[in-house]
Amino acid sequence: MALGTVIRRVLTAAGYEVEVAADAREARVLAEGLGGRLRLILSDVILPGANGPTIVDELRRASPGVAAMFLMPLQLPPPACSRWLWMWPMSPASSKAALMQLLHAVR
């Protein structure tokens, strides 16, 4: 099962609204449409059209204080931009535990 599918299922089952963007441009459009309802950004470190930290910085200008978590493969060095870093692959149980810890932190 793809990581995005696991994330969507866990968050939806926990009662969260989940929007998925295929690239940086789509993320900008979705975030603009959500306005003040944007609470958390889960982003790959590397995205089509931008890198994760750059797009998160852009989205935070419109939604200050929004939490962010970066997803990246285990073999890449971690970025210095976030204390929330989710290294994958992870088991579904570990993925759910990591998501719940993050969501508890941003409430």
Side-chain angles (χ1 to χ4, degrees):
M1 182 180 315
L3 181 60
T5 302
V6 171
I7 291 170
R8 177 175 272 208
R9 284 183 180 177
V10 168
L11 293 177
T12 302
Y16 291 91
E17 178 182 341
V18 178
E19 299 288 343
V20 178
D23 56 32
R25 182 200 59 75
E26 194 174 320
R28 290 179 189 103
V29 171
L30 282 171
E32 185 177 316
L34 290 171
R37 295 183 309 138
L38 182 62
R39 303 266 322 260
L40 172 64
I41 302 166
L42 295 175
S43 173
D44 281 331
V45 172
I46 301 167
L47 297 170
N51 67 55
T54 299
I55 192 67
V56 166
D57 286 344
E58 289 178 26
L59 298 178
R60 281 183 169 159
R61 282 195 284 278
S63 299
V66 68
M69 182 177 195
F70 296 99
L71 312 172
M72 63 183 293
L74 288 170
Q75 69 269 21
L76 294 177
C81 57
S82 175
R83 68 184 181 110
W84 290 105
L85 183 63
W86 187 353
M87 306 294 279
W88 54 268
M90 293 177 87
S91 70
S94 295
S95 299
K96 182 176 181 178
L99 281 169
M100 293 301 109
Q101 179 184 11
L102 177 63
L103 291 169
H104 179 72
V106 299
R107 284 189 179 187

XYZ file of all heavy atoms in Angstrom:
803
model
N 0.851 -1.178 0.000
C 0.000 0.000 0.000
C 0.896 1.240 0.000
O 1.854 1.328 0.744
C -0.890 -0.024 1.246
C -1.842 1.117 1.315
S -2.927 1.137 2.793
C -3.468 -0.534 2.925
N 0.588 2.209 -0.844
C 1.373 3.429 -0.954
C 1.252 4.269 0.320
O 0.213 4.261 0.988
C 0.906 4.240 -2.148
N 2.313 4.982 0.650
C 2.327 5.802 1.856
C 1.194 6.826 1.859
O 0.533 7.037 2.873
C 3.680 6.504 1.994
C 3.868 7.373 3.217
C 3.713 6.565 4.498
C 5.233 8.049 3.182
N 0.935 7.456 0.727
C -0.152 8.429 0.658
C -1.506 7.829 0.979
O -2.348 8.460 1.629
N -1.723 6.602 0.558
C -2.972 5.909 0.855
C -3.097 5.644 2.350
O -4.168 5.845 2.941
C -3.055 4.591 0.070
O -2.950 4.888 -1.324
C -4.360 3.866 0.337
N -2.005 5.214 2.974
C -2.007 4.973 4.421
C -2.309 6.275 5.163
O -3.158 6.314 6.063
C -0.655 4.390 4.901
C -0.586 4.337 6.418
C -0.434 3.014 4.309
N -1.637 7.344 4.787
C -1.837 8.646 5.442
C -3.289 9.090 5.318
O -3.922 9.475 6.294
C -0.889 9.701 4.849
C 0.551 9.391 5.237
C -1.290 11.105 5.298
C 1.575 10.218 4.511
N -3.816 9.022 4.121
C -5.201 9.452 3.901
C -6.171 8.621 4.732
O -7.067 9.158 5.385
C -5.564 9.368 2.437
C -7.022 9.752 2.184
C -7.294 9.779 0.733
N -6.952 11.128 0.301
C -7.508 11.738 -0.729
N -8.382 11.119 -1.462
N -7.187 12.963 -1.041
N -6.017 7.319 4.755
C -6.924 6.449 5.515
C -6.851 6.727 7.013
O -7.882 6.808 7.682
C -6.583 4.980 5.258
C -7.047 4.492 3.921
C -6.753 3.032 3.744
N -7.214 2.585 2.439
C -7.034 1.361 1.993
N -6.429 0.449 2.719
N -7.477 1.030 0.804
N -5.644 6.867 7.536
C -5.486 7.112 8.974
C -6.111 8.446 9.358
O -6.865 8.535 10.335
C -3.993 7.067 9.383
C -3.787 7.594 10.790
C -3.450 5.648 9.266
N -5.822 9.486 8.612
C -6.340 10.818 8.958
C -7.848 10.903 8.770
O -8.548 11.492 9.597
C -5.629 11.886 8.136
C -4.153 12.072 8.432
C -3.547 13.120 7.503
C -3.922 12.445 9.881
N -8.363 10.319 7.698
C -9.805 10.334 7.469
C -10.536 9.559 8.568
O -11.557 10.022 9.088
C -10.134 9.762 6.077
O -9.450 10.548 5.093
C -11.620 9.806 5.797
N -9.989 8.412 8.947
C -10.610 7.617 10.018
C -10.583 8.354 11.347
O -11.462 8.151 12.190
C -9.890 6.271 10.153
N -9.596 9.229 11.534
C -9.505 10.006 12.765
C -10.370 11.266 12.710
O -10.363 12.065 13.645
C -8.050 10.383 13.039
N -11.102 11.465 11.604
C -12.022 12.595 11.501
C -11.456 13.836 10.846
O -12.085 14.897 10.870
N -10.300 13.733 10.223
C -9.682 14.895 9.582
C -10.060 14.964 8.112
O -10.258 13.950 7.447
C -8.155 14.831 9.704
C -7.683 15.028 11.112
C -7.497 13.939 11.959
C -7.436 16.297 11.606
C -7.082 14.114 13.267
C -7.023 16.488 12.906
C -6.847 15.394 13.727
O -6.440 15.573 15.017
N -10.166 16.182 7.604
C -10.353 16.411 6.175
C -8.972 16.375 5.532
O -8.049 17.036 6.001
C -10.995 17.779 5.960
C -11.199 18.143 4.523
C -11.787 19.534 4.356
O -12.361 20.078 5.319
O -11.645 20.086 3.258
N -8.822 15.613 4.472
C -7.525 15.439 3.824
C -7.611 15.893 2.378
O -8.502 15.473 1.643
C -7.071 13.960 3.880
C -5.735 13.778 3.168
C -6.995 13.474 5.313
N -6.701 16.752 1.983
C -6.573 17.188 0.598
C -5.206 16.742 0.111
O -4.222 16.825 0.846
C -6.682 18.714 0.486
C -7.993 19.281 0.966
C -9.153 18.976 0.033
O -8.918 18.606 -1.134
O -10.302 19.097 0.476
N -5.127 16.268 -1.120
C -3.866 15.774 -1.672
C -3.524 16.565 -2.926
O -4.363 16.724 -3.811
C -3.963 14.268 -2.004
C -2.673 13.768 -2.621
C -4.310 13.474 -0.756
N -2.288 17.048 -2.980
C -1.793 17.777 -4.148
C -0.741 16.923 -4.851
O 0.107 16.316 -4.201
C -1.198 19.112 -3.718
N -0.790 16.898 -6.163
C 0.160 16.106 -6.946
C 1.499 16.818 -7.127
O 2.510 16.183 -7.379
C -0.435 15.784 -8.310
N 1.502 18.145 -6.987
C 2.730 18.907 -7.196
C 2.628 20.244 -6.471
O 1.613 20.547 -5.825
C 3.012 19.107 -8.693
C 1.861 19.776 -9.437
O 1.138 20.602 -8.845
O 1.673 19.473 -10.629
N 3.679 21.040 -6.572
C 3.741 22.318 -5.851
C 2.637 23.285 -6.298
O 2.008 23.950 -5.470
C 5.116 22.962 -6.049
N 2.365 23.349 -7.595
C 1.332 24.258 -8.093
C -0.032 23.894 -7.509
O -0.770 24.742 -7.026
C 1.279 24.205 -9.627
C 0.252 25.181 -10.228
C -0.133 24.799 -11.645
N -0.712 23.471 -11.753
C -1.967 23.153 -11.381
N -2.759 24.054 -10.856
N -2.417 21.919 -11.528
N -0.340 22.613 -7.521
C -1.620 22.157 -6.977
C -1.703 22.400 -5.469
O -2.762 22.750 -4.946
C -1.813 20.672 -7.285
C -3.221 20.188 -7.066
C -3.407 18.753 -7.527
O -2.861 18.374 -8.582
O -4.111 18.015 -6.821
N -0.589 22.263 -4.768
C -0.560 22.532 -3.322
C -0.906 23.989 -3.044
O -1.644 24.299 -2.105
C 0.809 22.191 -2.744
N -0.365 24.889 -3.853
C -0.670 26.319 -3.685
C -2.155 26.596 -3.873
O -2.772 27.316 -3.093
C 0.150 27.149 -4.672
C 1.614 27.193 -4.376
C 2.362 28.023 -5.436
N 3.779 27.902 -5.278
C 4.560 27.142 -6.054
N 4.045 26.440 -7.055
N 5.857 27.094 -5.836
N -2.743 26.006 -4.912
C -4.169 26.208 -5.207
C -5.030 25.646 -4.074
O -5.970 26.302 -3.607
C -4.535 25.565 -6.569
C -6.039 25.560 -6.788
C -3.819 26.287 -7.705
N -4.714 24.419 -3.618
C -5.482 23.810 -2.530
C -5.387 24.644 -1.255
O -6.391 24.874 -0.584
C -4.986 22.394 -2.249
C -5.438 21.310 -3.205
C -4.704 20.013 -2.922
C -6.936 21.103 -3.107
N -4.183 25.076 -0.921
C -3.993 25.857 0.306
C -4.761 27.166 0.247
O -5.379 27.583 1.229
C -2.506 26.117 0.535
N -4.755 27.812 -0.897
C -5.501 29.059 -1.054
C -6.992 28.824 -0.848
O -7.674 29.598 -0.181
C -5.251 29.658 -2.440
C -5.897 31.011 -2.633
C -5.555 31.597 -3.993
O -4.384 31.524 -4.395
O -6.482 32.132 -4.633
N -7.504 27.730 -1.382
C -8.922 27.396 -1.237
C -9.302 27.047 0.193
O -10.437 27.245 0.610
N -8.359 26.512 0.968
C -8.646 26.148 2.359
C -8.619 27.349 3.296
O -9.202 27.298 4.379
C -7.639 25.096 2.856
C -7.786 23.725 2.224
C -6.607 22.842 2.612
C -9.090 23.076 2.654
N -7.935 28.400 2.893
C -7.863 29.596 3.732
C -7.329 29.282 5.114
O -6.333 28.598 5.271
N -8.001 29.734 6.143
C -7.562 29.556 7.526
C -7.757 28.149 8.071
O -7.383 27.877 9.196
N -8.336 27.239 7.275
C -8.556 25.873 7.757
C -7.321 24.986 7.625
O -7.308 23.885 8.128
C -9.717 25.225 7.011
C -11.036 25.927 7.286
C -12.209 25.245 6.620
N -11.954 25.012 5.192
C -12.266 23.882 4.551
N -12.840 22.887 5.180
N -12.031 23.747 3.267
N -6.284 25.455 6.961
C -5.069 24.664 6.797
C -4.333 24.579 8.130
O -3.965 25.592 8.710
C -4.163 25.300 5.731
C -2.869 24.571 5.409
C -3.157 23.182 4.856
C -2.058 25.376 4.418
N -4.166 23.364 8.635
C -3.528 23.165 9.941
C -2.219 22.411 9.860
O -1.364 22.544 10.721
C -4.474 22.359 10.854
C -5.828 22.959 11.075
C -5.924 23.809 12.312
N -5.201 23.301 13.435
C -5.701 22.633 14.463
N -6.975 22.371 14.501
N -4.943 22.236 15.455
N -2.070 21.562 8.835
C -0.910 20.691 8.750
C -0.569 20.433 7.292
O -1.444 20.183 6.476
C -1.216 19.351 9.439
C -0.202 18.228 9.293
C 1.117 18.601 9.958
C -0.757 16.943 9.887
N 0.719 20.500 6.988
C 1.216 20.165 5.658
C 2.123 18.955 5.798
O 3.078 18.979 6.564
C 2.026 21.326 5.045
C 1.178 22.590 4.956
C 2.578 20.920 3.685
C 1.992 23.840 4.676
N 1.808 17.900 5.070
C 2.692 16.742 4.947
C 3.263 16.819 3.535
O 2.517 16.818 2.565
C 1.927 15.433 5.113
C 1.299 15.177 6.472
C 0.469 13.908 6.443
C 2.368 15.066 7.537
N 4.568 16.908 3.432
C 5.183 17.120 2.123
C 6.408 16.244 1.947
O 7.196 16.065 2.873
C 5.599 18.595 1.998
O 6.336 18.807 0.824
N 6.583 15.736 0.737
C 7.854 15.125 0.403
C 8.912 16.214 0.429
O 8.610 17.397 0.193
C 7.816 14.519 -1.004
C 7.116 13.172 -1.053
O 7.145 12.450 -0.031
O 6.554 12.840 -2.102
N 10.143 15.837 0.689
C 11.238 16.807 0.630
C 11.444 17.234 -0.814
O 11.682 18.407 -1.094
C 12.527 16.210 1.238
C 13.718 17.116 1.005
C 12.341 15.975 2.730
N 11.298 16.312 -1.741
C 11.466 16.604 -3.162
C 10.108 16.485 -3.838
O 9.446 15.458 -3.747
C 12.471 15.630 -3.797
C 13.818 15.731 -3.089
C 12.609 15.897 -5.299
C 14.778 14.617 -3.411
N 9.681 17.571 -4.509
C 8.386 17.621 -5.193
C 8.561 18.019 -6.646
O 9.500 18.753 -6.964
C 7.492 18.699 -4.561
C 7.074 18.560 -3.126
C 6.415 19.847 -2.659
C 6.107 17.410 -3.009
N 7.643 17.610 -7.517
C 7.658 18.168 -8.875
C 7.361 19.666 -8.806
O 6.383 20.075 -8.198
C 6.522 17.425 -9.590
C 6.256 16.210 -8.758
C 6.627 16.581 -7.355
N 8.227 20.485 -9.334
C 7.993 21.921 -9.384
C 8.562 22.713 -8.218
O 8.527 23.936 -8.253
N 9.069 22.086 -7.193
C 9.652 22.790 -6.032
C 10.187 21.747 -5.065
O 10.003 20.550 -5.261
C 8.615 23.658 -5.334
N 10.820 22.206 -3.995
C 11.167 21.253 -2.946
C 10.237 21.504 -1.766
O 9.652 22.567 -1.627
C 12.653 21.318 -2.564
C 13.039 22.610 -1.908
O 12.449 23.012 -0.908
N 14.045 23.286 -2.443
N 10.082 20.494 -0.922
C 9.137 20.571 0.190
C 9.340 21.771 1.100
O 8.387 22.510 1.366
N 10.569 22.001 1.596
C 10.775 23.147 2.478
C 10.408 24.488 1.836
O 9.838 25.363 2.487
C 12.267 23.075 2.807
C 12.574 21.606 2.728
C 11.733 21.112 1.566
N 10.675 24.632 0.537
C 10.343 25.887 -0.153
C 8.834 26.082 -0.226
O 8.321 27.162 0.076
C 10.950 25.903 -1.567
O 12.366 25.816 -1.453
C 10.571 27.175 -2.309
N 8.101 25.050 -0.625
C 6.645 25.195 -0.729
C 6.018 25.408 0.641
O 5.081 26.189 0.795
C 5.992 24.019 -1.501
C 4.530 24.328 -1.851
C 6.047 22.732 -0.730
C 4.326 25.409 -2.833
N 6.540 24.761 1.673
C 6.012 24.974 3.021
C 6.241 26.423 3.451
O 5.336 27.055 4.013
C 6.630 23.974 4.023
C 6.358 24.398 5.457
C 6.072 22.584 3.769
N 7.412 26.964 3.178
C 7.669 28.379 3.496
C 6.665 29.286 2.786
O 6.141 30.223 3.379
C 9.092 28.782 3.114
C 10.139 28.223 4.059
O 9.777 27.781 5.179
O 11.326 28.232 3.690
N 6.389 29.013 1.516
C 5.416 29.807 0.764
C 4.024 29.707 1.392
O 3.339 30.716 1.572
C 5.340 29.324 -0.682
C 6.537 29.657 -1.516
C 6.409 29.091 -2.927
O 5.264 28.897 -3.413
O 7.457 28.827 -3.538
N 3.602 28.489 1.715
C 2.266 28.296 2.277
C 2.147 28.910 3.668
O 1.078 29.397 4.049
C 1.909 26.814 2.305
C 1.841 26.118 0.943
C 1.519 24.649 1.109
C 0.859 26.800 0.016
N 3.238 28.915 4.416
C 3.213 29.511 5.758
C 3.082 31.031 5.711
O 2.615 31.637 6.664
C 4.458 29.117 6.541
C 4.367 27.727 7.120
C 5.580 27.404 7.931
N 5.376 26.169 8.686
C 6.342 25.433 9.162
N 7.610 25.795 8.981
N 6.074 24.335 9.832
N 3.490 31.648 4.623
C 3.291 33.104 4.519
C 1.797 33.423 4.493
O 1.369 34.425 5.038
C 4.003 33.649 3.290
C 5.506 33.790 3.494
C 6.147 34.653 2.429
N 6.303 34.007 1.146
C 7.289 33.181 0.814
N 8.210 32.886 1.693
N 7.344 32.663 -0.381
N 1.011 32.573 3.863
C -0.441 32.774 3.802
C -1.140 32.212 5.034
O -2.213 32.691 5.403
C -1.001 32.119 2.543
N -0.556 31.198 5.665
C -1.148 30.561 6.852
C -0.076 30.435 7.928
O 0.450 29.343 8.170
C -1.689 29.175 6.502
O -2.692 29.242 5.538
N 0.259 31.544 8.597
C 1.319 31.491 9.607
C 0.982 30.487 10.713
O -0.163 30.330 11.107
C 1.348 32.911 10.170
C 0.687 33.761 9.141
C -0.311 32.873 8.459
N 2.006 29.791 11.159
C 1.829 28.854 12.255
C 1.379 27.473 11.850
O 1.247 26.594 12.695
N 1.115 27.243 10.555
C 0.701 25.909 10.127
C 1.863 24.938 10.366
O 3.011 25.256 10.134
C 0.237 25.901 8.648
C 1.366 26.164 7.694
C -0.456 24.604 8.312
N 1.533 23.779 10.894
C 2.552 22.756 11.158
C 2.932 22.063 9.858
O 2.154 22.011 8.911
C 2.019 21.742 12.157
N 4.146 21.520 9.819
C 4.610 20.801 8.632
C 5.411 19.581 9.040
O 6.087 19.581 10.066
C 5.457 21.711 7.758
N 5.288 18.556 8.226
C 6.068 17.339 8.401
C 6.572 16.932 7.031
O 5.819 16.959 6.058
C 5.200 16.232 8.985
C 5.917 14.954 9.247
S 4.765 13.772 10.018
C 5.907 12.580 10.624
N 7.853 16.611 6.962
C 8.456 16.233 5.690
C 8.661 14.726 5.624
O 9.122 14.113 6.579
C 9.796 16.958 5.502
C 9.629 18.428 5.402
C 9.845 19.243 6.500
C 9.222 19.000 4.224
C 9.662 20.602 6.416
C 9.052 20.370 4.122
C 9.265 21.176 5.226
N 8.333 14.168 4.475
C 8.490 12.741 4.218
C 9.701 12.566 3.311
O 9.877 13.314 2.359
C 7.251 12.195 3.509
C 5.907 12.562 4.104
C 4.795 12.121 3.185
C 5.753 11.950 5.471
N 10.520 11.579 3.629
C 11.668 11.335 2.775
C 12.150 9.906 2.895
O 11.951 9.268 3.927
C 12.793 12.306 3.091
C 13.365 12.182 4.485
S 14.624 13.418 4.817
C 15.895 12.910 3.700
N 12.779 9.397 1.833
C 13.322 8.043 1.908
C 14.484 7.974 2.884
O 15.186 8.957 3.106
C 13.785 7.747 0.482
C 13.456 8.921 -0.341
C 12.927 10.002 0.535
N 14.687 6.830 3.463
C 15.731 6.649 4.472
C 17.127 6.975 3.969
O 17.976 7.390 4.744
C 15.714 5.207 4.986
C 14.545 4.847 5.887
C 14.509 3.347 6.124
C 14.651 5.574 7.209
N 17.395 6.828 2.690
C 18.754 6.995 2.210
C 19.170 8.451 1.998
O 20.325 8.722 1.736
C 18.993 6.183 0.931
C 18.257 6.690 -0.289
C 16.891 6.058 -0.471
O 16.300 5.534 0.469
N 16.366 6.095 -1.672
N 18.256 9.409 2.111
C 18.613 10.819 1.932
C 18.997 11.458 3.257
O 18.444 11.127 4.298
C 17.430 11.596 1.334
C 17.018 11.219 -0.076
C 15.801 12.028 -0.489
C 18.154 11.437 -1.058
N 19.933 12.436 3.240
C 20.245 13.152 4.483
C 19.086 14.061 4.874
O 18.454 14.665 4.015
C 21.487 13.970 4.123
C 21.450 14.099 2.647
C 20.727 12.883 2.111
N 18.774 14.172 6.166
C 17.619 14.984 6.585
C 17.868 16.474 6.392
O 18.978 16.951 6.579
C 17.473 14.647 8.068
C 18.788 14.124 8.485
C 19.427 13.515 7.271
N 16.819 17.222 6.007
C 16.955 18.672 5.906
C 17.000 19.296 7.293
O 16.474 18.741 8.249
C 15.685 19.099 5.156
C 14.698 18.038 5.493
C 15.494 16.762 5.668
N 17.614 20.447 7.392
C 17.723 21.128 8.678
C 16.510 21.983 8.974
O 16.469 22.689 9.964
C 18.975 22.002 8.668
N 15.472 21.904 8.140
C 14.360 22.843 8.210
C 13.234 22.435 9.140
O 12.337 23.214 9.372
C 13.811 23.061 6.810
S 13.319 21.509 6.052
N 13.229 21.223 9.651
C 12.065 20.805 10.417
C 12.438 19.784 11.476
O 13.264 18.925 11.256
C 11.024 20.169 9.489
O 9.946 19.661 10.241
N 11.802 19.909 12.638
C 11.993 18.883 13.651
C 11.109 17.687 13.374
O 11.292 16.623 13.927
C 11.724 19.433 15.046
C 10.281 19.795 15.301
C 10.131 20.429 16.675
N 8.757 20.743 16.919
C 7.997 20.107 17.795
N 8.472 19.130 18.511
N 6.750 20.456 17.976
N 10.132 17.848 12.501
C 9.242 16.755 12.135
C 9.709 16.166 10.826
O 9.572 16.760 9.774
C 7.800 17.254 11.982
C 7.201 17.620 13.276
C 6.985 18.890 13.726
C 6.749 16.752 14.304
N 6.416 18.852 14.970
C 6.261 17.545 15.351
C 6.703 15.374 14.438
C 5.744 17.009 16.522
C 6.189 14.842 15.605
C 5.715 15.661 16.616
N 10.270 14.991 10.907
C 10.761 14.314 9.723
C 10.318 12.868 9.787
O 10.588 12.172 10.757
C 12.286 14.404 9.676
C 12.952 13.797 8.461
C 12.521 14.545 7.201
C 14.455 13.873 8.621
N 9.640 12.423 8.786
C 9.114 11.065 8.740
C 9.904 10.307 7.692
O 9.801 10.570 6.504
C 7.652 11.122 8.353
C 6.928 9.832 8.422
C 7.437 8.599 8.669
C 5.545 9.648 8.222
N 6.458 7.666 8.640
C 5.280 8.279 8.368
C 4.491 10.507 7.938
C 4.011 7.749 8.238
C 3.235 9.981 7.811
C 2.989 8.620 7.963
N 10.730 9.399 8.161
C 11.552 8.607 7.259
C 10.762 7.379 6.835
O 10.174 6.704 7.665
C 12.842 8.172 7.959
C 13.629 9.317 8.566
S 14.291 10.461 7.377
C 15.736 9.577 6.875
N 10.719 7.065 5.572
C 9.998 5.904 5.111
C 10.928 5.010 4.331
O 11.972 5.468 3.907
C 8.758 6.293 4.302
C 8.957 7.206 3.152
C 8.882 8.562 3.148
C 9.265 6.836 1.807
N 9.123 9.059 1.916
C 9.360 8.028 1.073
C 9.469 5.630 1.154
C 9.659 8.040 -0.292
C 9.768 5.643 -0.186
C 9.851 6.842 -0.889
N 10.663 3.752 4.173
C 9.389 3.083 4.439
C 9.154 2.831 5.923
O 10.091 2.655 6.680
C 9.516 1.753 3.695
C 10.973 1.499 3.645
C 11.643 2.847 3.593
N 7.890 2.844 6.298
C 7.448 2.534 7.653
C 6.296 1.547 7.551
O 5.574 1.540 6.564
C 6.947 3.781 8.384
C 7.988 4.824 8.681
S 7.235 6.268 9.471
C 7.286 5.787 11.170
N 6.110 0.769 8.596
C 4.964 -0.133 8.620
C 3.691 0.688 8.809
O 3.743 1.810 9.310
C 5.110 -1.125 9.768
O 4.943 -0.452 11.003
N 2.534 0.153 8.434
C 1.279 0.878 8.685
C 1.090 1.243 10.156
O 0.640 2.339 10.471
C 0.206 -0.088 8.193
C 0.886 -0.881 7.129
C 2.303 -1.050 7.632
N 1.456 0.351 11.081
C 1.299 0.649 12.512
C 2.215 1.795 12.923
O 1.806 2.698 13.654
C 1.589 -0.591 13.351
N 3.458 1.805 12.451
C 4.386 2.890 12.768
C 3.922 4.196 12.139
O 4.051 5.264 12.727
C 5.796 2.566 12.269
O 6.318 1.461 12.950
N 3.378 4.100 10.918
C 2.864 5.291 10.242
C 1.732 5.908 11.040
O 1.699 7.124 11.255
C 2.354 4.924 8.841
O 3.383 4.412 8.046
N 0.803 5.078 11.503
C -0.335 5.583 12.281
C 0.159 6.217 13.575
O -0.296 7.298 13.954
C -1.316 4.461 12.580
C -2.530 4.946 13.344
C -3.539 3.853 13.554
C -4.736 4.409 14.304
N -5.775 3.411 14.490
N 1.102 5.594 14.264
C 1.630 6.144 15.515
C 2.299 7.497 15.278
O 2.101 8.440 16.043
C 2.613 5.160 16.151
N 3.077 7.616 14.202
C 3.746 8.882 13.896
C 2.731 9.972 13.582
O 2.860 11.112 14.040
C 4.715 8.694 12.726
N 1.699 9.638 12.807
C 0.661 10.618 12.484
C -0.083 11.072 13.731
O -0.353 12.262 13.913
C -0.323 10.037 11.480
C 0.123 10.013 10.039
C -0.836 9.173 9.214
C 0.231 11.416 9.491
N -0.444 10.146 14.574
C -1.187 10.512 15.796
C -0.343 11.397 16.707
O -0.854 12.351 17.292
C -1.657 9.259 16.522
C -2.719 8.444 15.782
S -4.232 9.383 15.444
C -4.122 9.615 13.684
N 0.949 11.126 16.809
C 1.830 11.966 17.625
C 1.887 13.378 17.047
O 1.779 14.369 17.767
C 3.230 11.364 17.659
C 4.215 12.200 18.463
C 5.619 11.652 18.401
O 5.943 10.760 17.611
N 6.484 12.174 19.227
N 2.016 13.488 15.742
C 2.070 14.792 15.107
C 0.756 15.544 15.269
O 0.736 16.714 15.619
C 2.411 14.640 13.628
C 2.425 15.936 12.811
C 3.508 16.870 13.328
C 2.619 15.640 11.361
N -0.362 14.873 15.053
C -1.654 15.540 15.165
C -1.927 16.007 16.589
O -2.492 17.080 16.798
C -2.770 14.601 14.684
C -2.746 14.326 13.189
C -3.696 13.203 12.848
C -3.056 15.573 12.400
N -1.507 15.229 17.549
C -1.652 15.653 18.940
C -0.848 16.930 19.200
O -1.302 17.833 19.902
C -1.196 14.536 19.886
C -1.283 14.909 21.317
N -2.478 15.039 21.990
C -0.311 15.206 22.213
C -2.238 15.403 23.220
N -0.942 15.509 23.394
N 0.305 17.031 18.596
C 1.178 18.193 18.790
C 0.608 19.461 18.167
O 0.861 20.557 18.660
C 2.576 17.912 18.242
N -0.179 19.346 17.077
C -0.662 20.542 16.391
C -2.066 20.957 16.823
O -2.567 21.955 16.358
C -0.616 20.393 14.845
C 0.795 20.157 14.391
C -1.556 19.315 14.352
N -2.708 20.217 17.671
C -4.068 20.595 18.108
C -4.047 21.806 18.973
O -3.194 22.194 19.622
C -4.717 19.448 18.869
C -5.170 18.399 17.889
C -5.988 17.372 18.560
N -6.386 16.429 17.528
C -7.220 15.463 17.725
N -7.777 15.288 18.879
N -7.539 14.656 16.757
